[in-house]
Amino acid sequence: MAQTPINQTIDRLVSVLSSIKNNNWVIGGEEPFRPDEPGGSASSNQDFEEGQLLQLRYLKLTGDALHVMLHSVDSGIHALQAPCVAIALQRGIHSIPDDILAHIFEVGYHSCDDQGSRDSHHFSVAVSHVSRRFRMVALRTPRIWTRLSNWMKTSQLETFSYRSKAADLIITATTDEYDDPNISLEAFLAITLPSHSRWSEFTYDILEHHNLFPQAILSQTRNLTFPRLRSLGCVKAFSTDGDDGVLPEHTFATWEMPALIHFHGVSASIEGKGIGKNVQSAEFFMDYSIPDYRSIFHELGSWPHLTTLNFEFSNFYSDIEPSKVSLQTLRTLVIIAEFDADGVLLGKVLSLLDMPVLSNVSLEIHRDVVSVDELIEGMWSATTRCRSLTEFTLDTTAFGEHGFRFGVLGMFVSKLSFLETVTFRGAGLYGIEWCPRPPLWQLFHFEGATPDDIHRIGSYAHILCGHPKFKLRMGKCNECKEISRLKRSYQDRLEYEANENAF
């Protein structure tokens, strides 16, 4: 019986696969797929062109057959994959030793998004209810039961405290504008204070005046020693005394905290409290409610080991003129200017900072900041004196495009030419005047630039390329024809992170 084209193709494919198998599954080009029967080569009775067409037809038919087979195989894989995933996952988890599984739990616990929230205990409860083995491992992993807050129920708090064994504890006492915590501060401290020698982080987060947290209750912790406490937070609605005239900071000042290396405060009064003798990093939120902002800066100047400082300014304004402050050990400074911050005042404050070993500074400007130009100039005034400075980041992405009265990039090139790394995030920052000498920069990183900005960058490529080690790194920017032009100008000196399709 005469064979159909389909049968011939399948027979040919079987023959090809057999040939490849005999060759130890090595395919030497397309030769095994070429026809070898009479009429399949140029030496047959057909002319050369017909032979070529015949070979092409055989290859296409072979490809069609392979596609049919692959489609069938893919369908089978898709049908089996879903039910097999659960089996493979179950077998994979069964093969993980208990100590590795415990480590996975710890990583998940410390990286989950609900840290510091009222739901911070959900991860531990969830993994302990997956299976009998998960529960056994979870109960033997003390470090996933260490976040204790007054939003937990009393029974949960006692359970977590017991299961944490001897692990370091993260303690948070907080209020909410709308809801009451599940447990009063007095009851909360009654459960957690006996384990105060294990506290590694403590946050007193009082954003609203709340009668559940009288300062007299917190004062029962006075003169205690917290040997493991590494981080202390004091968050208040205003920089004022409590209802009984006692600040929580007064209580903290009596604590013995030999391991304390981090402090964060909102409207916190730290002056004269002796909190910072070992602190290496600090974060502060500053607004108009602080009676004399200068006292905080001068207090920070007395902290002998302070190397990293983050300031967030919002509703920051005052009639008090700033004074010179010396931060002799500071290496990293982050300034965030937000809603209704007075740029003139803040610029003056920054210009009077003496930071001889500063190496990294970041200035982030949000919308509704008043007098942005003066703010930037104030930061320049301080940093031009910092000859140890190597990195500067200016972020105006939350501010939007702004008509700066001077060329921001030009000021950096002329006044901060000694930097190694400069990062601009935002638009409208790239104006530049004539520059007689190229800066010493090794990396200029920018993102969020508009087509006009990229055109300006490309126009002075020859200035920035004066340094032999200079590189330009482009993050996410608006696509435009100027990007290709910039690439041609910089060639191998251009690195790009996000918009590869723009090229």
Side-chain angles (χ1 to χ4, degrees):
M1 185 176 65
Q3 284 191 313
T4 65
I6 294 178
N7 289 336
Q8 290 178 343
T9 301
I10 293 176
D11 288 345
R12 179 61 195 163
L13 186 57
V14 170
S15 174
V16 168
L17 292 176
S18 176
S19 174
I20 294 173
K21 176 183 177 182
N22 294 333
N23 197 33
N24 294 321
W25 299 104
V26 175
I27 302 177
E30 76 279 4
E31 291 301 325
F33 298 94
R34 292 181 179 273
D36 54 4
E37 60 267 15
S41 66
S43 59
S44 66
N45 295 331
Q46 299 176 352
D47 59 19
F48 178 78
E49 289 81 3
E50 290 181 351
Q52 292 289 306
L53 291 172
L54 182 61
Q55 291 184 27
L56 178 61
R57 185 169 68 88
Y58 266 94
L59 288 174
K60 285 187 173 182
L61 289 173
T62 302
D64 291 340
L66 286 172
H67 282 305
V68 172
M69 293 175 63
L70 288 174
H71 178 72
S72 177
V73 170
D74 286 340
S75 298
I77 290 174
H78 180 74
L80 291 172
Q81 200 160 17
C84 286
V85 165
I87 299 173
L89 183 60
Q90 186 178 38
R91 289 182 178 180
I93 291 175
H94 280 312
S95 67
I96 298 175
D98 287 352
D99 57 335
I100 302 299
L101 186 60
H103 182 66
I104 293 173
F105 288 171
E106 290 176 356
V107 172
Y109 181 68
H110 291 289
S111 61
C112 62
D113 293 335
D114 56 11
Q115 289 192 56
S117 72
R118 65 178 66 182
D119 301 325
S120 60
H121 59 282
H122 284 181
F123 178 90
S124 312
V125 175
V127 296
S128 66
H129 284 76
V130 171
S131 66
R132 186 173 299 176
R133 182 186 177 219
F134 270 41
R135 181 170 182 80
M136 178 190 70
V137 173
L139 295 180
R140 293 177 181 175
T141 310
R143 284 188 284 188
I144 68 169
W145 307 95
T146 56
R147 293 197 200 107
L148 310 181
S149 82
N150 57 313
W151 287 103
M152 303 169 73
K153 296 180 180 179
T154 302
S155 58
Q156 280 184 325
L157 188 61
E158 292 173 338
T159 298
F160 270 58
S161 183
Y162 171 76
R163 291 177 179 175
S164 65
K165 306 299 181 184
D168 291 351
L169 296 175
I170 301 171
I171 310 294
T172 303
T174 184
T175 59
D176 188 274
E177 184 178 359
Y178 305 104
D179 300 323
D180 289 339
N182 289 316
I183 187 171
S184 68
L185 177 62
E186 188 172 16
F188 180 66
L189 289 178
I191 296 173
T192 59
L193 200 55
S195 303
H196 72 274
S197 62
R198 294 196 287 123
W199 290 14
S200 65
E201 298 181 28
F202 177 73
T203 301
Y204 185 85
D205 188 350
I206 311 302
L207 293 178
E208 300 293 329
H209 295 296
H210 208 290
N211 59 12
L212 289 180
F213 291 86
Q215 307 301 329
I217 295 177
L218 182 65
S219 65
Q220 67 181 278
T221 65
R222 292 175 65 87
N223 300 313
L224 290 179
T225 298
F226 297 83
R228 300 192 198 177
L229 193 65
R230 296 172 58 84
S231 177
L232 175 63
C234 181
V235 181
K236 304 185 303 178
F238 302 101
S239 182
T240 55
D241 291 351
D243 295 335
D244 52 6
V246 179
L247 287 169
E249 299 93 308
H250 292 159
T251 299
F252 300 149
T254 70
W255 290 4
E256 186 66 31
M257 302 172 284
L260 187 68
I261 60 173
H262 179 77
F263 179 83
H264 64 277
V266 174
S267 302
S269 301
I270 59 170
E271 55 275 18
K273 305 298 190 299
I275 294 174
K277 60 183 179 180
N278 295 317
V279 169
Q280 299 175 16
S281 64
E283 302 172 46
F284 286 91
F285 178 88
M286 303 276 281
D287 63 12
Y288 66 90
S289 71
I290 299 175
D292 187 352
Y293 63 89
R294 297 177 304 180
S295 61
I296 292 182
F297 280 94
H298 286 291
E299 174 67 21
L300 293 173
S302 70
W303 292 9
H305 304 289
L306 184 65
T307 58
T308 302
L309 182 57
N310 288 35
F311 269 117
E312 185 175 343
F313 296 90
S314 181
N315 280 300
F316 178 72
Y317 47 86
S318 174
D319 293 330
I320 301 175
E321 284 296 312
S323 56
K324 185 176 181 179
V325 176
S326 180
L327 301 170
Q328 292 293 308
T329 59
L330 193 66
R331 296 187 179 277
T332 299
L333 176 64
V334 177
I335 301 293
I336 301 175
E338 296 184 319
F339 176 76
D340 211 20
D342 184 348
V344 174
L345 174 61
L346 186 51
K348 290 180 180 179
V349 171
L350 297 176
S351 69
L352 292 173
L353 295 180
D354 178 29
M355 302 168 287
V357 297
L358 188 70
S359 61
N360 191 331
V361 64
S362 175
L363 175 59
E364 182 178 331
I365 304 174
H366 290 231
R367 289 187 181 276
D368 299 316
V369 174
V370 181
S371 302
V372 173
D373 298 294
E374 284 76 6
L375 170 55
I376 296 176
E377 282 188 293
M379 180 65 88
W380 274 329
S381 179
T383 53
T384 51
R385 301 191 302 270
C386 303
R387 290 299 166 171
S388 297
L389 190 66
T390 59
E391 297 185 36
F392 197 123
T393 298
L394 177 60
D395 190 340
T396 65
T397 51
F399 187 80
E401 293 190 46
H402 176 75
F404 296 99
R405 60 179 170 79
F406 47 69
V408 178
L409 182 55
M411 294 289 284
F412 271 76
V413 169
S414 62
K415 293 189 175 183
L416 296 173
S417 62
F418 56 86
L419 296 174
E420 294 181 4
T421 301
V422 176
T423 300
F424 277 7
R425 296 190 177 98
L429 300 169
Y430 305 92
I432 188 171
E433 302 294 335
W434 177 76
C435 181
R437 290 181 301 175
L440 302 177
W441 302 354
Q442 296 184 26
L443 177 64
F444 177 46
H445 177 194
F446 72 96
E447 55 187 64
T450 65
D452 287 342
D453 294 327
I454 296 176
H455 175 74
R456 293 189 183 98
I457 293 172
S459 67
Y460 55 78
H462 63 284
I463 298 177
L464 296 178
C465 280
H467 192 286
K469 295 183 179 180
F470 177 78
K471 289 282 188 179
L472 179 71
R473 178 179 298 154
M474 187 178 71
K476 186 176 182 180
C477 296
N478 297 328
E479 294 186 29
C480 68
K481 61 182 180 181
E482 294 296 338
I483 295 178
S484 299
R485 184 167 158 297
L486 191 66
K487 186 181 179 183
R488 289 193 299 271
S489 299
Y490 279 91
Q491 297 182 2
D492 61 339
R493 293 194 178 198
L494 176 65
E495 301 173 356
Y496 43 92
E497 297 176 342
N499 265 22
E500 295 185 22
N501 60 342
F503 297 105

